Amino acid sequence: MHTADVLQHAKNIVAAKFPSACLIPQPDAGRYYVTANELAERLAERLAGGAK
C-alpha cells in the first residue's frame, strides 16, 4: 500500500470514529488535543510500520 493510501485509510478510520470532530482529546496528556489530521497521520505511521 502506498503512503498516500495508508494515510487516506487512516483518515477514514478517524472520520468514522469521530464524525464531524476537528479536535480529539488525547487521554494520556490530559488537556492536550490533536486535530483529526494529526491523529490520522499518527495512525498511518503505525499502519505503515506494521505496529499494532
Side-chain angles (χ1 to χ4, degrees), residues 10-21 36:
K11 286 183 177 186
N12 293 341
I13 292 170
V14 171
K17 179 107 175 134
F18 302 97
S20 303

Side-chain angles (χ1 to χ4, degrees), residues 7-31:
L7 180 55
Q8 186 59 52
H9 178 64
K11 286 183 177 186
N12 293 341
I13 292 170
V14 171
K17 179 107 175 134
F18 302 97
S20 303
C22 59
L23 291 176
I24 299 157
Q26 187 176 28
D28 296 335
R31 290 180 267 164

